[in-house]
Amino acid sequence: MQANLRVLRAIIALRARAGEFVLTASPAQPARLSCALQKDLIYGKSMLTGSCLCGAVAYEVDAEPAPFVHCHCQTCRKTHGSAFSSVMPVPRAAFRWVRGDELLAAFESSPGKFRRFCTRCGSHIMAERIAQPNVLLRMGCLDTPVAGPARAHIWRSDAASWYDPKDATPELPEAAASPPPAR
Protein backbone atom coordinates (compact mmCIF):
# COMPACT_ATOMS: atom_id res chain seq x y z
CA MET A 1 0.00 0.00 0.00
CA GLN A 2 2.80 2.42 0.91
CA ALA A 3 4.51 1.78 -2.45
CA ASN A 4 1.26 2.57 -4.27
CA LEU A 5 0.91 5.82 -2.33
CA ARG A 6 4.51 6.80 -3.19
CA VAL A 7 3.86 6.12 -6.88
CA LEU A 8 0.60 8.10 -6.75
CA ARG A 9 2.32 11.06 -5.06
CA ALA A 10 5.15 10.95 -7.60
CA ILE A 11 2.74 10.90 -10.55
CA ILE A 12 0.71 13.77 -9.10
CA ALA A 13 3.87 15.83 -8.43
CA LEU A 14 5.20 15.21 -11.94
CA ARG A 15 1.95 16.08 -13.62
CA ALA A 16 1.57 19.18 -11.49
CA ARG A 17 5.10 20.35 -12.40
CA ALA A 18 4.23 19.79 -16.05
CA GLY A 19 1.17 22.03 -15.62
CA GLU A 20 -1.27 19.30 -16.64
CA PHE A 21 -3.59 19.88 -13.73
CA VAL A 22 -3.99 21.54 -10.39
CA LEU A 23 -5.49 19.71 -7.46
CA THR A 24 -7.96 21.73 -5.47
CA ALA A 25 -9.98 20.37 -2.62
CA SER A 26 -12.56 21.85 -0.34
CA PRO A 27 -15.91 20.68 0.96
CA ALA A 28 -17.61 22.61 -1.85
CA GLN A 29 -15.19 21.49 -4.59
CA PRO A 30 -13.63 18.00 -4.27
CA ALA A 31 -10.23 17.21 -5.81
CA ARG A 32 -10.32 16.38 -9.52
CA LEU A 33 -7.67 14.62 -11.59
CA SER A 34 -7.02 14.96 -15.30
CA CYS A 35 -8.23 12.19 -17.61
CA ALA A 36 -4.63 11.23 -18.40
CA LEU A 37 -3.76 10.89 -14.71
CA GLN A 38 -6.92 8.85 -14.07
CA LYS A 39 -5.86 6.45 -16.84
CA ASP A 40 -2.34 6.20 -15.38
CA LEU A 41 -3.78 5.36 -11.97
CA ILE A 42 -6.25 2.80 -13.35
CA TYR A 43 -3.97 1.05 -15.84
CA GLY A 44 -0.67 1.68 -14.09
CA LYS A 45 2.32 3.68 -15.25
CA SER A 46 5.77 2.52 -14.39
CA MET A 47 8.39 4.79 -12.89
CA LEU A 48 11.92 3.85 -11.96
CA THR A 49 13.64 5.81 -9.22
CA GLY A 50 17.22 5.82 -8.04
CA SER A 51 19.62 7.68 -5.80
CA CYS A 52 23.21 7.75 -4.64
CA LEU A 53 24.49 6.28 -1.36
CA CYS A 54 24.20 9.56 0.57
CA GLY A 55 20.82 10.43 -0.98
CA ALA A 56 21.91 13.84 -2.25
CA VAL A 57 21.42 12.91 -5.93
CA ALA A 58 18.23 11.28 -7.22
CA TYR A 59 16.56 10.58 -10.55
CA GLU A 60 13.29 9.31 -12.03
CA VAL A 61 12.61 7.48 -15.26
CA ASP A 62 9.13 7.28 -16.76
CA ALA A 63 9.69 3.87 -18.33
CA GLU A 64 9.29 0.18 -17.77
CA PRO A 65 12.41 -1.68 -16.62
CA ALA A 66 14.41 -2.81 -19.65
CA PRO A 67 16.44 -5.98 -20.07
CA PHE A 68 19.75 -5.50 -18.29
CA VAL A 69 23.25 -6.96 -18.47
CA HIS A 70 26.19 -7.56 -16.17
CA CYS A 71 29.26 -5.93 -17.73
CA HIS A 72 32.65 -7.46 -16.86
CA CYS A 73 34.86 -5.03 -18.82
CA GLN A 74 37.91 -3.69 -17.01
CA THR A 75 36.52 -0.13 -17.05
CA CYS A 76 33.29 -1.17 -15.29
CA ARG A 77 35.22 -3.33 -12.81
CA LYS A 78 37.57 -0.49 -11.89
CA THR A 79 34.81 2.14 -11.82
CA HIS A 80 32.69 0.12 -9.42
CA GLY A 81 35.43 -1.76 -7.55
CA SER A 82 33.60 -4.98 -8.26
CA ALA A 83 33.59 -8.05 -10.51
CA PHE A 84 31.01 -6.44 -12.80
CA SER A 85 28.50 -3.64 -13.16
CA SER A 86 24.80 -4.27 -13.74
CA VAL A 87 23.55 -1.87 -16.40
CA MET A 88 20.06 -1.05 -17.72
CA PRO A 89 19.45 1.16 -20.77
CA VAL A 90 16.51 3.57 -20.50
CA PRO A 91 15.24 6.25 -22.90
CA ARG A 92 17.04 9.57 -22.40
CA ALA A 93 13.73 11.39 -22.95
CA ALA A 94 12.20 9.55 -19.97
CA PHE A 95 15.15 10.21 -17.61
CA ARG A 96 15.39 13.27 -15.34
CA TRP A 97 17.34 14.36 -12.30
CA VAL A 98 15.02 15.24 -9.38
CA ARG A 99 17.68 16.52 -7.00
CA GLY A 100 21.39 17.02 -6.66
CA ASP A 101 22.35 17.37 -10.31
CA GLU A 102 24.66 20.22 -9.24
CA LEU A 103 26.59 17.64 -7.16
CA LEU A 104 27.33 15.42 -10.16
CA ALA A 105 30.73 15.06 -11.73
CA ALA A 106 31.59 13.11 -14.85
CA PHE A 107 34.50 11.07 -16.05
CA GLU A 108 34.99 10.47 -19.78
CA SER A 109 36.04 6.81 -19.60
CA SER A 110 36.24 6.37 -23.37
CA PRO A 111 35.79 8.93 -26.15
CA GLY A 112 32.29 10.37 -25.83
CA LYS A 113 31.18 8.14 -22.91
CA PHE A 114 30.60 9.98 -19.64
CA ARG A 115 30.15 8.22 -16.31
CA ARG A 116 28.23 10.45 -13.87
CA PHE A 117 28.77 10.14 -10.13
CA CYS A 118 27.94 11.93 -6.87
CA THR A 119 30.80 14.13 -5.66
CA ARG A 120 29.76 13.62 -2.02
CA CYS A 121 29.63 9.81 -1.74
CA GLY A 122 31.17 8.66 -5.03
CA SER A 123 28.22 6.53 -6.19
CA HIS A 124 28.30 5.95 -9.94
CA ILE A 125 24.72 6.59 -10.98
CA MET A 126 24.56 6.51 -14.76
CA ALA A 127 26.59 6.65 -17.96
CA GLU A 128 25.78 8.23 -21.27
CA ARG A 129 26.95 8.97 -24.75
CA ILE A 130 25.45 12.41 -25.38
CA ALA A 131 24.17 11.70 -28.92
CA GLN A 132 22.58 8.32 -28.03
CA PRO A 133 18.83 7.91 -27.35
CA ASN A 134 19.44 5.87 -24.17
CA VAL A 135 21.31 6.43 -20.93
CA LEU A 136 22.70 3.55 -18.87
CA LEU A 137 21.46 3.23 -15.29
CA ARG A 138 23.85 1.68 -12.79
CA MET A 139 21.42 -0.75 -11.21
CA GLY A 140 23.10 -0.68 -7.81
CA CYS A 141 21.63 2.83 -7.42
CA LEU A 142 18.06 1.84 -8.32
CA ASP A 143 15.55 2.29 -5.50
CA THR A 144 12.76 0.59 -7.47
CA PRO A 145 12.77 -3.21 -7.24
CA VAL A 146 13.43 -4.82 -10.63
CA ALA A 147 12.96 -8.48 -11.46
CA GLY A 148 15.72 -10.48 -13.12
CA PRO A 149 17.45 -12.39 -14.38
CA ALA A 150 19.93 -10.43 -16.43
CA ARG A 151 19.85 -10.88 -20.21
CA ALA A 152 23.58 -11.67 -20.35
CA HIS A 153 27.03 -11.35 -18.85
CA ILE A 154 28.99 -9.22 -21.33
CA TRP A 155 32.73 -8.65 -21.80
CA ARG A 156 33.55 -11.99 -20.15
CA SER A 157 36.74 -11.93 -22.24
CA ASP A 158 37.89 -9.06 -19.99
CA ALA A 159 36.56 -10.48 -16.70
CA ALA A 160 38.21 -10.72 -13.29
CA SER A 161 40.10 -14.00 -12.93
CA TRP A 162 38.70 -14.49 -9.43
CA TYR A 163 34.99 -14.44 -10.38
CA ASP A 164 33.02 -16.98 -12.40
CA PRO A 165 29.25 -16.44 -12.73
CA LYS A 166 28.78 -20.21 -13.07
CA ASP A 167 30.44 -20.85 -9.71
CA ALA A 168 28.01 -22.19 -7.10
CA THR A 169 29.26 -20.07 -4.21
CA PRO A 170 27.31 -20.35 -0.92
CA GLU A 171 24.74 -17.59 -0.39
CA LEU A 172 24.18 -15.98 3.01
CA PRO A 173 21.33 -13.61 3.93
CA GLU A 174 23.77 -11.25 5.71
CA ALA A 175 27.46 -11.01 6.54
CA ALA A 176 28.86 -13.98 8.38
CA ALA A 177 30.94 -13.68 11.56
CA SER A 178 33.42 -16.05 9.90
CA PRO A 179 33.72 -17.19 6.30
CA PRO A 180 31.80 -20.34 5.31
CA PRO A 181 33.89 -23.52 5.17
CA ALA A 182 35.80 -24.17 1.94
CA ARG A 183 34.20 -26.53 -0.52
Side-chain angles (χ1 to χ4, degrees), residues 124-183:
H124 282 256
I125 301 169
M126 61 89 91
E128 64 180 327
R129 292 187 183 275
I130 304 300
Q132 295 295 314
N134 290 327
V135 298
L136 300 173
L137 300 183
R138 302 308 183 179
M139 292 183 64
C141 289
L142 273 174
D143 296 326
T144 306
V146 173
R151 183 178 66 198
H153 284 267
I154 62 173
W155 284 100
R156 286 291 296 143
S157 61
D158 205 18
S161 60
W162 47 266
Y163 177 77
D164 181 355
K166 297 179 289 300
D167 188 17
T169 304
E171 295 183 22
L172 306 172
E174 295 179 12
S178 62
R183 296 179 271 157

Side-chain angles (χ1 to χ4, degrees), residues 50-59 99 103-104 117-125 140-143:
S51 59
C52 65
L53 176 62
C54 71
V57 177
Y59 65 81
R99 73 174 173 273
L103 297 172
L104 290 169
F117 59 94
C118 174
T119 57
R120 284 191 184 163
C121 66
S123 294
H124 282 256
I125 301 169
C141 289
L142 273 174
D143 296 326

Side-chain angles (χ1 to χ4, degrees), residues 28-106:
Q29 185 176 6
R32 295 183 339 164
L33 303 177
S34 71
C35 290
L37 180 58
Q38 289 175 34
K39 286 179 187 172
D40 288 349
L41 295 175
I42 292 168
Y43 299 110
K45 182 170 184 169
S46 185
M47 179 184 297
L48 300 170
T49 61
S51 59
C52 65
L53 176 62
C54 71
V57 177
Y59 65 81
E60 294 175 339
V61 183
D62 287 323
E64 294 289 329
F68 59 92
V69 297
H70 301 307
C71 182
H72 293 261
C73 78
Q74 184 179 29
T75 306
C76 279
R77 288 188 294 111
K78 287 189 175 274
T79 299
H80 298 278
S82 184
F84 58 87
S85 173
S86 301
V87 181
M88 177 189 296
V90 296
R92 176 183 300 282
F95 178 91
R96 74 189 146 281
W97 299 108
V98 294
R99 73 174 173 273
D101 56 328
E102 72 281 358
L103 297 172
L104 290 169

